[in-house]
Amino acid sequence: MTASIPDLLRLVAVPALGWAAWRDVKTRRVPNRTWLPLLGVAVLALAVEVWQVWTGTTVGYVNQRAYFLRVLISVGFVVPLAYGFWWIGGFGGADAKALITLAVLFPTFPTYLFPDFALPVVVPTLGVFAMSVLSNTVVVGLFYPVALTLRNAAGGHVAKAMVIGRPVATERVTEEYGRLLQTPDGFTRRGLDLDALRMYLTWRGANFAELRAEPDEFRDPESIPAETNPPGDGAIAVPDGGRPAPDDEATAGDPPADADEEDVPEETEIADPWGAERFFEEIEGSAYGTTPEQLREGLTVLTSEDEVWITPGIPFLVPMFLGLLLGLTYGDVLYAVIEGLGVF
């Protein structure tokens, strides 16, 4: 394989983004230190390439005006776009940092020459590689709800939430990442974030199995200790998301035998049910955008249902990593489809 030095340096993005995607799946956390070395490589590769293009020492003909326009679009448009998506809540912090890094690392399409062919195969007219990675990411992401729907249908789980979620046993919900798709009134796309649930349990020093077993007691804000704990960040640390389960676990996740829906008092009967308002007053910052009402509704569902629907979501870094691999090999998938339809 033959390529310029900047394009060879850029290949470091493959293992780096692959590791970040794996980490995102396992923990939904990607440390900031992941991006700084990669950004350093990006700046170095861009500086070398800019010098080569400016001095005319690049391998093969390069249109200077087109090159610098593409760099301007990648750095001047894609970078603010990634930041804007993060600012409005469309991206997570790691997602935005990954796209920003790729925008600096790949302002134009790289070229990798082999004896009988060259990669990428499909290079769009715009030629801004980071934009193509983003469009590839969207295309890859479209397959996720299809696969999820087929999986749910095959398992006999047919419901309104089957396109974006999956059912889990309620007693295992704190072992999952994602968001609850239920409220006491039915389906919702903006249910309780499970990271926020773990933060709440840690804050009040509670065990999820205990909370499910004695919902009336835990709904009373007077049951919250005077001295609460730092909530942490909601990452999965132990299976139940709070402190270790008590020794007697035989019925830890089951509601009392004499409990039913009619025994559960309306939340409006007491002030600040579950201590939700106090929780948000005491923690620093927000709990992943969760509101006191979402917390109350989520806890009501989780203490009254044996099975709930959650949306695990697909960590955006996973389709972005696949979009990068597609971009480096095939090229811009969406452009190829549109061109094949005769739009261009």
Side-chain angles (χ1 to χ4, degrees), residues 84-118:
F85 278 150
W86 168 80
W87 189 75
I88 65 175
F91 274 179
D95 305 331
K97 291 167 188 172
L99 185 56
I100 288 171
T101 301
L102 289 177
V104 180
L105 188 62
F106 290 99
T108 64
F109 263 71
T111 302
Y112 302 101
L113 301 174
F114 293 85
D116 299 318
F117 60 94

Side-chain angles (χ1 to χ4, degrees), residues 276-287:
E277 292 286 353
R278 178 180 167 187
F279 169 64
F280 286 100
E281 288 173 359
E282 290 190 6
I283 67 172
E284 295 182 4
S286 66

Side-chain angles (χ1 to χ4, degrees), residues 99-336:
L99 185 56
I100 288 171
T101 301
L102 289 177
V104 180
L105 188 62
F106 290 99
T108 64
F109 263 71
T111 302
Y112 302 101
L113 301 174
F114 293 85
D116 299 318
F117 60 94
L119 298 177
V121 177
V122 178
V123 178
T125 304
L126 181 61
V128 178
F129 188 75
M131 290 286 288
S132 294
V133 170
L134 184 57
S135 67
N136 286 350
T137 299
V138 173
V139 171
V140 171
L142 291 176
F143 287 96
Y144 178 70
V146 175
L148 196 58
T149 301
L150 294 175
R151 176 184 175 183
N152 284 326
H157 304 297
V158 179
K160 190 175 183 179
M162 66 185 295
V163 178
I164 59 172
R166 60 185 175 86
V168 298
T170 305
E171 62 187 16
R172 291 184 50 249
V173 78
T174 50
E175 302 172 31
E176 304 281 350
Y177 284 109
R179 185 179 291 273
L180 197 62
L181 289 174
Q182 292 173 238
T183 70
D185 297 325
F187 172 78
T188 180
R189 289 178 176 270
R190 298 293 299 173
L192 173 62
D193 189 289
L194 300 183
D195 281 344
L197 171 63
R198 282 183 287 271
M199 291 174 64
Y200 172 78
L201 292 171
T202 302
W203 169 77
R204 69 178 295 166
N207 175 269
F208 187 56
E210 295 172 341
L211 183 142
R212 276 178 47 80
E214 298 291 343
D216 293 349
E217 176 184 343
F218 283 87
R219 186 178 289 107
D220 185 353
E222 295 298 325
S223 66
I224 300 174
E227 294 294 329
T228 53
N229 305 312
D233 65 356
I236 297 175
V238 294
D240 63 354
R243 56 189 172 84
D247 294 334
D248 183 11
E249 297 182 347
T251 60
D254 301 325
D258 59 347
D260 56 40
E261 290 187 4
E262 294 182 358
D263 293 328
V264 178
E266 294 291 334
E267 293 193 356
T268 54
E269 293 180 2
I270 58 176
D272 192 19
W274 304 100
E277 292 286 353
R278 178 180 167 187
F279 169 64
F280 286 100
E281 288 173 359
E282 290 190 6
I283 67 172
E284 295 182 4
S286 66
Y288 304 97
T290 302
T291 65
E293 185 61 24
Q294 286 175 325
L295 178 58
R296 292 191 189 103
E297 291 178 342
L299 290 171
T300 299
V301 170
L302 293 172
T303 54
S304 60
E305 302 289 341
D306 293 327
E307 184 178 80
V308 293
W309 283 82
I310 66 168
T311 175
I314 178 171
F316 195 71
L317 290 182
V318 175
M320 188 180 293
F321 172 62
L322 297 176
L324 173 64
L325 293 182
L326 278 173
L328 290 171
T329 53
Y330 182 75
D332 194 310
V333 176
L334 185 60
Y335 179 85

